[in-house]
Amino acid sequence: MTKEQKNFIVAMATYVTKYAPQYGISVYSPIIAQGILESAWGKSKLAAVYFNYFGLKCGSKWTGKSVNMTTQEEYKPGTKTTIKDNFRVYDSMEEGVKGYFEFIQLDRYKNLRGITNPMQYLQTIRDDGYATASDYAADVYKV
């Protein structure tokens, strides 16, 4: 692990540990791992320019800034489909991490509250529709 990667983890952990308890989330490591995987250690354009470390799309309720970008979805297991979609834009890493916790306040994610097992958290959030990748939970857990 590089010094830059360690610094990324420390920065991400600072905000995850600050906001998770406020939103009823009991695990930290799987969320930090999601941020690492989704943002390529903060180097993806979505993260580096727009502070969206979790690949959060706008959806119908988002009223903030957005950017249209290309992404891949796995609607059918093993088959990736390239699409363009609108993603949330934040002004800082802290706002991006806080935005993750605000996003998972949607009703479909209410079952995440109280989970203390990292793999159970990842499998639950994937099953709730957070990601289309069939191996999402295992891929994030490896991180």
Side-chain angles (χ1 to χ4, degrees), residues 92-103:
S92 66
M93 178 185 259
E94 181 170 6
E95 288 300 312
V97 173
K98 184 180 180 189
Y100 169 88
F101 290 104
E102 291 170 346
F103 180 82

Side-chain angles (χ1 to χ4, degrees), residues 25 100-106 109 112-113 121 125:
I25 302 300
Y100 169 88
F101 290 104
E102 291 170 346
F103 180 82
I104 63 170
Q105 295 309 295
L106 293 169
Y109 300 116
L112 296 173
R113 294 182 190 99
Y121 181 91
I125 200 168

Side-chain angles (χ1 to χ4, degrees), residues 67-84:
V67 62
N68 188 273
M69 296 183 77
T70 301
T71 189
Q72 290 194 319
E73 299 294 344
E74 187 182 337
Y75 301 120
K76 181 179 163 190
T79 304
K80 291 186 178 181
T81 303
T82 300
I83 65 164
K84 287 186 83 72

Side-chain angles (χ1 to χ4, degrees), residues 27 34 36-38 48 50 52 55-56 60 67-68 70-71 74-75 99 103 106 113 117 122 124 137-138:
V27 292
Q34 281 182 283
I36 291 168
L37 182 73
E38 294 276 358
Y50 303 108
N52 183 336
L56 300 175
S60 59
V67 62
N68 188 273
T70 301
T71 189
E74 187 182 337
Y75 301 120
F103 180 82
L106 293 169
R113 294 182 190 99
N117 178 287
L122 293 170
T124 302

Side-chain angles (χ1 to χ4, degrees), residues 1 15 22 29 37 47 55 58 82 88 94 136 143:
M1 183 177 305
Y15 301 125
Q22 295 177 29
S29 61
L37 182 73
C58 291
T82 300
R88 297 174 179 210
E94 181 170 6
Y136 184 77
V143 172

Side-chain angles (χ1 to χ4, degrees), residues 4 17-18 26 28-29 31 34 37 39 46 51 72 74 94 107 118 123 127 129-130 139-140:
E4 192 174 53
T17 58
K18 177 180 179 179
S26 303
Y28 306 145
S29 61
I31 298 164
Q34 281 182 283
L37 182 73
S39 75
L46 189 58
F51 300 101
Q72 290 194 319
E74 187 182 337
E94 181 170 6
D107 279 348
Q123 192 59 55
D127 292 347
Y130 182 87
D139 290 345
V140 175

